[in-house]
Amino acid sequence: SFVSLRQRILSAVQKNATRGDPRSVIRAIDQFCSQKEWAMNVGNEKGCILDSVVSEVNPATVLELGTYCGYSTVRIASLLPPYAKFITLEFNPDFAAVARQVIAWAGLEDKVKIKPCLVEGASSDWIPKIKEQFGIKTFDLVFLDHWKEHYLSDTKLMEECGLLRKGSVLLADNVICPGAPDYVEYVRSSPRYKSHYFRSHLEYTKAEENLWYLGIIE
Ligand SMILES: Oc1cc(-c2ccc(F)cc2)cc2nccnc12
Ligand SMILES: [Mg+2]
């Protein structure tokens, strides 16, 4: 029967990565996606930028919008201190099912366990419920990597729900490709944000891409 791309990625992890070793899970996915089939993981080049931002912010609370197969979830979770609270939202139940198994293979299922850390459903439905559901006041770091049409509306929703504070950092993937022009326009013209972009490339390709870093200053 037909095996989906996400299932082939999971099989590559289970075949080539060592249980309990997050770095081997990341390496197995990157090898599969650079040698066999392209997939929309953030990839190793942008992943190293993500790692440096996570290490610098050293967040106690993290929100990831868009889990997909859990590649960036594993990268982020493996850098967090044990007390950190990490929530990742995934709309697509099939992606969420694979991500749970990839996170478990990396041995991080308790690290991202804010019951349930991997939340299935629309970010716009979940963002207003995060405070009371997870006992989180504000996020130190938000990684936006879901549908680009929702970057701006979800950022405004997080502001309205009081989930962002002075010093919160938003890091957005794909602001060039597929692109989130309304988001970039809004944050660049807002006095609330200090924005900066990291030049990089679309995962597993030579196409130009940026990771868009936002520090909230007010
Ligand atoms: O990193 C990404 C890349 C792409 C993507 C798809 C097709 C292309 F041709 C180029 C880029 C889509 C994404 N959707 C959600 C989250 N991240 C994405
Ligand atoms: Mg992306």
Side-chain angles (χ1 to χ4, degrees):
S1 69
F2 171 72
V3 178
S4 59
L5 173 58
R6 60 187 179 270
Q7 276 298 335
R8 292 198 291 274
I9 290 172
L10 176 58
S11 304
V13 166
Q14 293 168 334
K15 177 165 170 277
N16 303 315
T18 309
R19 268 188 177 283
D21 175 357
R23 296 312 306 172
S24 75
V25 167
I26 297 305
R27 192 167 43 251
I29 295 175
D30 282 333
Q31 279 171 351
F32 178 82
C33 292
S34 41
Q35 294 161 12
K36 301 276 188 347
E37 297 182 70
W38 188 91
M40 62 179 173
N41 317 111
V42 76
N44 195 47
E45 186 180 312
K46 289 188 285 178
C48 288
I49 297 168
L50 172 61
D51 292 353
S52 63
V53 171
V54 174
S55 303
E56 187 185 315
V57 175
N58 194 32
T61 53
V62 184
L63 174 63
E64 176 181 59
L65 299 178
T67 315
Y68 186 41
C69 293
Y71 175 93
S72 50
T73 318
V74 167
R75 284 197 89 114
I76 294 167
S78 57
L79 294 172
L80 294 180
Y83 57 78
K85 290 190 169 184
F86 179 14
I87 297 172
T88 180
L89 291 181
E90 177 50 58
F91 176 70
N92 181 313
D94 299 325
F95 294 164
V98 164
R100 278 194 181 73
Q101 297 173 79
V102 168
I103 291 162
W105 197 270
L108 295 167
E109 67 274 27
D110 50 353
K111 197 84 177 270
V112 288
K113 181 150 308 269
I114 296 95
K115 311 173 220 349
C117 71
L118 201 167
V119 181
E120 285 180 35
S123 49
S124 53
D125 293 341
W126 271 101
I127 285 170
K129 295 191 277 191
I130 284 176
K131 279 186 185 264
E132 92 244 36
Q133 292 277 336
F134 302 104
I136 284 175
K137 290 187 180 54
T138 56
F139 283 106
D140 300 329
L141 175 66
V142 180
F143 180 49
L144 295 94
D145 192 22
H146 58 332
W147 296 134
K148 316 308 153 203
E149 302 75 18
H150 298 168
Y151 278 23
L152 182 51
S153 52
D154 282 347
T155 298
K156 288 181 173 175
L157 188 55
M158 286 188 281
E159 288 178 348
E160 287 151 23
C161 297
L163 285 168
L164 304 177
R165 58 163 175 77
K166 190 171 178 307
S168 294
V169 170
L170 306 182
L171 188 66
D173 190 21
N174 311 112
V175 291
I176 290 186
C177 176
D182 58 343
Y183 175 75
V184 171
E185 178 49 40
Y186 172 79
V187 295
R188 285 192 77 163
S189 53
S190 162
R192 295 200 63 203
Y193 298 98
K194 173 175 59 70
S195 61
H196 165 79
Y197 63 83
F198 296 92
R199 292 171 55 103
S200 184
H201 297 90
L202 175 66
E203 50 266 28
Y204 316 116
T205 76
K206 292 187 175 24
E208 190 161 328
E209 177 57 274
N210 294 336
L211 274 185
W212 198 268
Y213 175 105
L214 284 181
I216 299 186
I217 51 176
E218 289 170 10

